[in-house]
Amino acid sequence: MTQLRGGMLLASPWTPRLTAGAGSPGARLVETLARDIADGSLPPGARLPAHRPLAWQLGIGLGTVTKAYAQLERRGLVRSVRGRGMFVAGVSQMTSRMVDLSINVPPQALSDRLLASCLGDLARRLDADSFGTYAAPAGRLEHRALLARWLAKTGVPAAPERLLICNGAQHALAIALAITCGPDTELLTEALSYPGAIALARRRGLRLTGLAIDDEGLVPRALEQALHQEAAAGRRAVLYVTPTLHNPTTATMGEARRREIANLCRAHDAVIVEDDIHAALAEPGTIPIASLAPERTLHVSGLSKVLSPGLRIGTLLVPEAWLEPALAELAATCTTAPLLSCLVMERWLTDGTAASVTRSIREEAGRRVALARELLPPGTATRSGGGFHLWLPMAPGRAKNLPARAAASGILLPPPEAFLADFQAPSWGVRLSLGGPRIDALADALASLRALLLDIGGGARI
């Protein structure tokens, strides 16, 4: 720790300098200090230079130094001690103040008052006998009917008797893959895909083939070639696809491509697992593949991305031929979704709360994306539709480097390898999830990312 010696403060151990790059002097000062704190060059307790001497040494304005120090303090990397100066914070303070852009959560659209009112009403309505009774594994029929009507608004022809309520969409996806993918199955998906699906496939020991993608998602020609190869090898093919607000690239397929993919799978008797978790955020009129090939499509959706992550309600709509194995897998894995979650869902779907919250999430997502467009270098990010994540396409080396450098600046990003269904995929990048942080923290993080992106890639389509 810094100590007083003869009534004088010890000098800072840091050698003032700015990183090279095209960012502003303030942004480069923040990055330099953040990196030195992260690698231990400036250990916890080390004193930072005083504002005026640092501004003079670097040839920048006093206000620039003040703003840079304030940004570092908001991230929890440094702390101000009244009358003594600015010091590197302890490790626990740093980690608690990281801005997390790695988890794809929606913007918070629920108020404490709304949640308290809902839970209070349920407390008055719920009795011990109802709470202490097991429901059918697929959920109560009235709840399944409510969810079927909710899905129908997004174009999904959901019959309640074929709709299973699961413990979140990940659980629904696990059931879908478990019942459709046997030992002779090849699981086809986009070359860049949802990490949860990739992890499930690899945990089950499935053969996984990543297929070419473009700005509209899965390329039909690549799918056709793969289906021919699987047929020639005598293997059954299952396609896992996210046609709406693809994770991670945000691509959304047009209707013609959806029809082409549905027709290809029908011609080759391939099963489709459609991940439609963002359907309620899609543009009006978006047609799900489940409506184009209902006889072979298992449709996965849920409420965590469009209402709240705390509402662990997933749905799995299955064709009649898959209903019995799906029910058996559901009963064997998690029995039934929690009653309280189902009752919250029931209230929100019937009193208009769900529609209002989804609308608010979409509006706030648009605001955050607009902020990112303003703060990030032009042409850096891609985004389609009404979601709350962005995709930064870049070369593999830069994609691997960015999360480590961002962490040094107090920003958590997901590792790019997590999205690779095909490790030889030519298209790499980094996903930015904009929904979680407070808007002021997000703005600071995006400003820092701008400096990093300009430094490692020059600005556009790195």
Side-chain angles (χ1 to χ4, degrees):
M1 294 291 291
T2 304
Q3 298 176 343
L4 286 170
R5 178 180 296 169
M8 299 291 291
L9 285 171
L10 291 176
S12 171
W14 189 64
T15 301
R17 69 191 190 284
L18 294 178
T19 57
S24 68
R28 288 186 286 138
L29 175 57
V30 169
E31 184 190 352
T32 306
L33 282 165
R35 193 183 303 175
D36 287 353
I37 291 170
D39 67 18
S41 301
L42 270 174
R47 186 173 188 263
L48 271 59
H51 293 59
R52 287 187 184 278
L54 181 59
W56 180 80
Q57 286 181 277
L58 296 177
I60 61 179
L62 176 61
T64 299
V65 174
T66 300
K67 290 178 181 178
Y69 277 12
Q71 188 171 340
L72 290 166
E73 189 168 18
R74 284 196 297 273
R75 292 183 189 168
L77 297 179
V78 302
R79 59 186 178 86
S80 176
V81 179
R82 187 178 181 85
R84 296 185 61 195
M86 194 73 73
F87 298 84
V88 177
V91 174
S92 62
Q93 291 170 285
M94 296 180 202
T95 54
S96 67
R97 296 293 293 275
M98 295 284 279
V99 180
D100 193 348
L101 304 184
S102 67
I103 301 177
N104 207 25
V105 298
Q108 180 58 266
L110 296 174
S111 68
D112 292 344
R113 183 177 179 181
L114 186 152
L115 189 59
S117 172
C118 175
L119 295 177
D121 179 63
L122 292 182
R124 290 187 293 271
R125 291 174 48 206
L126 185 61
D127 58 76
D129 286 342
S130 298
F131 188 72
T133 302
Y134 282 114
R140 296 180 178 181
L141 187 57
E142 63 268 28
H143 291 160
R144 295 159 71 185
L146 276 173
L147 285 165
R149 288 197 290 273
W150 171 261
L151 291 174
K153 296 176 182 177
T154 65
V156 179
E161 61 273 13
R162 292 190 289 105
L163 185 67
L164 284 61
I165 301 178
C166 305
N167 284 265
Q170 182 72 11
H171 182 215
L173 178 57
I175 293 172
L177 295 185
I179 65 176
T180 59
C181 296
D184 61 339
T185 301
E186 189 78 14
L187 182 60
L188 310 176
T189 189
E190 301 97 335
L192 297 170
S193 191
Y194 166 52
I198 295 173
L200 275 172
R202 290 182 175 147
R203 187 172 181 82
R204 291 182 59 84
L206 300 177
R207 288 186 297 268
L208 187 65
T209 298
L211 305 177
I213 56 176
D214 60 15
D215 290 343
E216 205 177 332
L218 178 64
V219 175
R221 179 60 179 162
L223 173 62
E224 184 176 22
Q225 291 174 346
L227 290 172
H228 277 302
Q229 290 172 0
E230 297 312 309
R235 291 193 295 261
R236 184 179 188 181
V238 172
L239 172 65
Y240 167 72
V241 63
T242 306
T244 300
L245 291 171
H246 175 254
N247 185 0
T249 68
T250 81
T252 294
M253 291 182 189
E255 181 179 342
R257 180 166 298 193
R258 293 171 189 247
R259 291 188 180 279
E260 187 173 0
I261 286 173
N263 290 336
L264 283 171
C265 289
R266 183 176 287 114
H268 291 83
D269 196 25
V271 176
I272 303 168
V273 177
E274 180 181 18
D275 191 332
D276 209 18
I277 190 69
H278 294 107
L281 302 176
E283 297 295 332
T286 301
I287 298 177
I289 294 176
S291 70
L292 302 174
E295 81 287 355
R296 66 187 59 254
T297 303
L298 288 79
H299 181 274
V300 173
S301 190
L303 301 180
S304 63
K305 303 297 187 189
V306 297
L307 290 181
S308 173
L311 197 58
R312 302 304 301 160
I313 299 290
T315 61
L316 178 62
L317 179 66
V318 297
E320 186 66 37
W322 293 103
L323 181 56
E324 186 174 340
L327 286 170
E329 184 69 19
L330 174 62
T333 53
C334 216
T335 307
T336 188
L339 176 61
L340 282 177
S341 290
C342 289
L343 291 177
V344 172
M345 175 269 297
E346 177 185 13
R347 177 183 170 103
W348 288 355
L349 290 184
T350 54
D351 70 2
T353 296
S356 176
V357 169
T358 298
R359 187 163 52 249
S360 295
I361 287 174
R362 186 184 177 95
E363 291 171 356
E364 179 61 16
R367 177 188 174 200
R368 289 169 179 249
V369 168
L371 179 66
R373 294 278 195 213
E374 176 187 341
L375 294 177
L376 294 177
T380 300
T382 64
R383 188 254 193 176
S384 169
F388 36 82
H389 69 282
L390 291 177
W391 177 243
L392 309 181
M394 61 184 72
R398 288 169 176 163
K400 291 179 181 179
N401 184 38
L402 183 59
R405 294 192 61 179
S409 295
I411 305 163
L412 290 178
L413 298 177
E417 295 88 347
F419 303 97
L420 295 177
D422 179 2
F423 285 105
Q424 305 303 316
S427 300
W428 281 54
V430 173
R431 187 191 69 190
L432 300 185
S433 298
L434 307 178
R438 289 166 49 104
I439 196 71
D440 55 345
L442 177 62
D444 284 345
L446 290 169
S448 295
L449 282 174
R450 175 186 176 87
L452 289 174
L453 291 168
L454 289 171
D455 186 35
I456 69 173
R461 280 301 179 125
I462 57 176

